[in-house]
């Protein structure tokens, strides 16, 4: 005899909370808008027509953590396009299972999802009305913009 238990993914807000809790300071440096984009990206991977199995919230967690380390190594903001694209490819391309006969690779799908969620984020987060923390030079402390 067998019992089937069907489970669905968490809601968007729950996934956002999970990402922030599991990534701690990295999420704070990444910023709320970028964390929302990471969650949106993995959620869209689950409904993409060419993807049989998309990423769970763990993909968004890894994306935030990888972006944080890459940004530190490259001395740039963690939400910058050069970081988020590479972090997305590293964190998500191995998590997507494509449908049989898909003409595109997982990397191409990740790039499409990245364009949808992250491509304009650099300008959005960098706008003066956003409350963002700036990354200090490597090894330095974080500071609020305009404060020493």
């Amino acid at each position: 005899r067998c019992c089937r238990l069907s489970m669905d993914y968490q809601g968007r807000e729950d996934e956002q909370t999970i990402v922030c809790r599991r990534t701690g300071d990295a999420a704070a440096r990444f910023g709320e808008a970028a964390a929302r984009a990471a969650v949106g990206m993995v959620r869209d991977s689950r409904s993409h027509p060419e993807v049989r199995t998309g990423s769970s919230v763990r993909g968004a967690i890894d994306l935030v953590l990888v972006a944080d380390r890459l940004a530190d190594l490259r001395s740039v903001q963690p939400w910058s396009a050069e970081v988020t694209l590479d972090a997305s490819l590293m964190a998500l391309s191995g998590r997507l299972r494509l449908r049989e006969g898909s003409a595109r690779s997982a990397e191409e799908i990740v790039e499409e999802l990245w364009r949808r969620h992250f491509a304009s984020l650099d300008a959005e987060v960098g706008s003066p009305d956003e409350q963002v923390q700036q990354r200090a030079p490597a090894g330095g402390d974080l500071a609020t913009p305009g404060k020493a």
Side-chain angles (χ1 to χ4, degrees):
R1 185 159 117 142
C2 181
C3 293
R4 182 176 183 267
L5 176 62
S6 178
M7 296 176 62
D8 204 356
Y9 292 100
Q10 300 89 346
R12 183 178 302 276
E13 292 303 317
D14 289 339
E15 287 189 351
Q16 186 77 28
T17 300
I18 291 166
V19 168
C20 290
R21 284 186 182 160
R22 293 295 303 262
T23 59
D25 291 341
R29 288 186 292 271
F30 200 52
E32 187 178 331
R36 268 195 319 270
V39 168
M41 190 171 169
V42 298
R43 291 180 67 83
D44 278 0
S45 77
R46 298 176 208 149
S47 60
H48 192 282
E50 293 179 71
V51 176
R52 183 171 37 100
T53 306
S55 177
S56 71
V57 69
R58 288 182 182 94
I61 291 167
D62 287 351
L63 196 161
V64 170
L65 293 172
V66 170
D68 187 60
R69 293 302 302 141
L70 284 176
D72 191 43
L73 290 169
R74 296 175 181 179
S75 298
V76 296
Q77 301 298 349
W79 61 81
S80 68
E82 67 184 271
V83 168
T84 57
L85 178 57
D86 287 347
S88 296
L89 288 166
M90 291 170 64
L92 300 178
S93 61
R95 295 177 184 273
L96 303 185
R97 300 294 175 256
L98 302 182
R99 294 194 185 278
E100 303 276 331
S102 175
R104 297 193 302 162
S105 67
E107 290 78 7
E108 290 171 316
I109 306 278
V110 170
E111 287 180 26
E112 174 193 329
L113 294 170
W114 175 85
R115 282 190 301 278
R116 187 179 308 160
H117 292 279
F118 279 102
S120 64
L121 189 63
D122 213 353
E124 177 188 329
V125 172
S127 69
D129 53 28
E130 281 287 325
Q131 296 292 324
V132 219
Q133 290 187 337
Q134 300 292 323
R135 180 175 289 277
D141 294 327
L142 294 176
T144 305
K147 295 188 178 182

